[in-house]
Amino acid sequence: MTLKKLTASPAAPGVPFYTPHQDPPAGTALKKDSSPVPTVFTPLTIRGLTLQNRFAVSPMCMYSANNGHLTDFHLVHLGQYALHGTPLTIVEATAVTPNGRISPEDSGLWQDSQIAPLKRVTDFIHSQGQKVGIQLAHAGRKASTLAPWHYRTLGKEVATEELGGWPDNLWAPSPIPWAEGFPTPKEMTLAQIQDLIQAWKSAASRAVKAGVDLIEIHGAHGYLLTEFLSPITNQRTDQYGGAPFPNRIRLLLEIITAIRSVIPPSMPLFLRISATEWMSHSSQSWDLAQSKKLASLVADLGVDLLDVSSGGNNPDQKIEAHPYYQIDLASEIREHLRKEGKKMLIGAVGMVTSAEMARDVVQGEEGDETVEVVDGEHGTKARADLVLVARQYLREPEFVLKVAAELGVGVRLPLQYSRAPFPKKKKGVEQGKL
């Protein structure tokens, strides 16, 4: 069906339904005077992609897919963030093989039938003038578990075969279970490792067909790639493991190269890592020093942004938690890369719940994307280039618009919602402190 062209309200281009063209997209700063715009509301260009502000929806598992296929739930869940001014929404951890799902209800991209429901989501996000990414993943020894609400009800975490799970077909670098009471995974053979690399490559190709704007590799939180990186969980004696650092990072580097070979040169590639597994009390573990070393290497392989998280690979981890505990890790890696002359960007995650915190994470000179600068008012320097938010978006899908109001930044609203702007903070209350 051909959509009727409306001259007074032109349609969004490139989508099979009518919705007004959001030009500029919601969340774009509308500079009306000479006052500076906080860096968090300035554009960021990553390869061929430009975001109108520095926010992104971090991948969040929803445990709501149908045999790996996204559903109308995901259309509504993910679409709301684009509608409310977030320039980049990253689809939750999406398994590259069936046994790579965290739960039986996880998203997947191991077969062609999973392309169409993903494209429905990308079409809507694009109709709002926003961008969409997808996080490709394999859960490794942490696969075949139940969604949180299921194990709270049933009193167990493992998804048995009766509950749709595959506890006898878990993959890992070494046969070490996640914790007591969990299945023992199978040590991957060299042939399975090669098949896995091809699975990541094929999933990336399907993602491109579905219209995504970028791909993120999930190398964090104790899932398969983390398990290969860590000397605690990787006790192999071949070229993919053991004590030598080059062996433990080999699989990740090969996956990066494989994905980069099948996506457009203009498409950004992100990588999420756990900067430390918080196991310094152990005789050996993955730590910040190794993350810095890895960052330098992946920057040269075509990774455009390092999404810095932490933990998740060992139930005995001892996290030193405070509001900036992960942002500080990101900042250290960013500083290391700048000293080495690397231009890879850094994304910060974790506990970003307020306007001032979101502002301070990336605050720099207007338009600055790479150089750390001191913010004279707060005496702090930019810690990252992109703010990835998760749980706060669950509380407030309109988080970007609310932050703009609290910082006193005028931004474009979605056309349909423009009659209901957020009230700005009164001077002398919160705005005066910013």
Side-chain angles (χ1 to χ4, degrees), residues 92-378:
E92 65 191 73
T94 298
V96 299
T97 65
N99 76 340
R101 290 171 292 170
I102 302 168
S103 81
E105 293 80 34
D106 272 26
S107 170
L109 206 49
W110 65 80
Q111 58 187 6
D112 289 350
S113 62
Q114 293 158 340
I115 296 173
L118 174 58
K119 188 165 192 311
R120 191 164 180 234
V121 172
T122 64
D123 279 348
F124 179 80
I125 292 175
H126 289 158
S127 78
Q128 303 307 301
Q130 316 289 19
K131 309 301 181 184
V132 57
I134 190 167
Q135 184 186 69
L136 299 181
H138 192 292
R141 66 177 183 161
K142 294 177 76 174
S144 191
T145 58
L146 295 171
W149 56 87
H150 289 319
Y151 64 67
R152 282 196 296 266
T153 300
L154 299 174
K156 61 179 180 179
E157 295 186 51
V158 177
T160 60
E161 290 185 6
E162 294 77 14
L163 295 172
W166 50 98
D168 294 330
N169 188 29
L170 303 186
W171 285 355
S174 302
I176 303 171
W178 158 246
E180 185 178 352
F182 283 76
T184 299
K186 297 177 181 178
E187 180 172 311
M188 294 180 70
T189 66
L190 291 177
Q192 287 172 331
I193 288 175
Q194 294 307 308
D195 288 344
L196 177 71
I197 295 170
Q198 182 59 49
W200 283 79
K201 188 174 179 179
S202 297
S205 295
R206 293 187 185 100
V208 172
K209 291 178 181 177
V212 304
D213 299 293
L214 66 85
I215 289 173
E216 176 169 276
I217 298 170
H218 197 348
H221 300 164
Y223 299 122
L224 185 62
L225 295 183
T226 316
E227 294 162 22
F228 270 89
L229 295 176
S230 170
I232 295 177
T233 45
N234 187 345
Q235 298 180 11
R236 302 174 70 93
T237 57
D238 60 16
Q239 66 267 38
Y240 287 97
F245 178 80
N247 288 12
R248 288 184 280 114
I249 68 170
R250 187 184 306 276
L251 175 58
L252 173 58
L253 301 190
E254 290 181 354
I255 287 173
I256 291 170
T257 300
I259 291 178
R260 192 78 258 177
S261 73
V262 295
I263 64 176
S266 60
M267 179 178 283
L269 179 61
F270 289 10
L271 169 63
R272 171 167 280 192
I273 64 166
S274 284
T276 174
E277 54 186 325
W278 298 105
M279 291 291 292
S280 60
H281 52 286
S282 173
S283 60
Q284 54 181 355
S285 65
W286 182 265
D287 56 19
L288 182 59
Q290 292 173 83
S291 288
K292 291 178 180 178
K293 190 175 179 181
L294 176 67
S296 298
L297 294 172
V298 300
D300 293 333
L301 287 179
V303 173
D304 301 290
L305 182 141
L306 196 66
D307 178 355
V308 181
S309 188
S310 70
N313 195 43
N314 199 299
D316 294 329
Q317 64 187 11
K318 294 182 179 179
I319 297 177
E320 301 169 11
H322 57 83
Y324 283 85
Y325 82 99
Q326 296 195 126
I327 294 169
D328 287 346
L329 294 170
S331 180
E332 286 203 44
I333 295 175
R334 188 176 189 267
E335 183 175 1
H336 166 77
L337 289 171
R338 297 302 178 267
K339 288 180 179 178
E340 289 202 337
K342 308 285 186 179
K343 294 184 178 181
M344 184 171 64
L345 301 173
I346 295 295
V349 305
M351 297 188 179
V352 178
T353 60
S354 69
E356 187 169 69
M357 189 173 183
R359 174 186 186 270
D360 288 351
V361 168
V362 297
Q363 184 60 36
E365 293 177 345
E366 186 175 355
D368 175 55
E369 296 176 4
T370 58
V371 181
E372 288 184 338
V373 295
V374 173
D375 176 347
E377 183 179 353
H378 290 273

Side-chain angles (χ1 to χ4, degrees), residues 57-62 77 81 90-93 389-391 393-394:
V57 176
S58 195
M60 292 181 278
C61 292
M62 290 288 110
H77 164 66
Y81 306 121
I90 305 178
V91 178
E92 65 191 73
V389 179
R391 295 185 186 184
Y393 271 123
L394 298 180

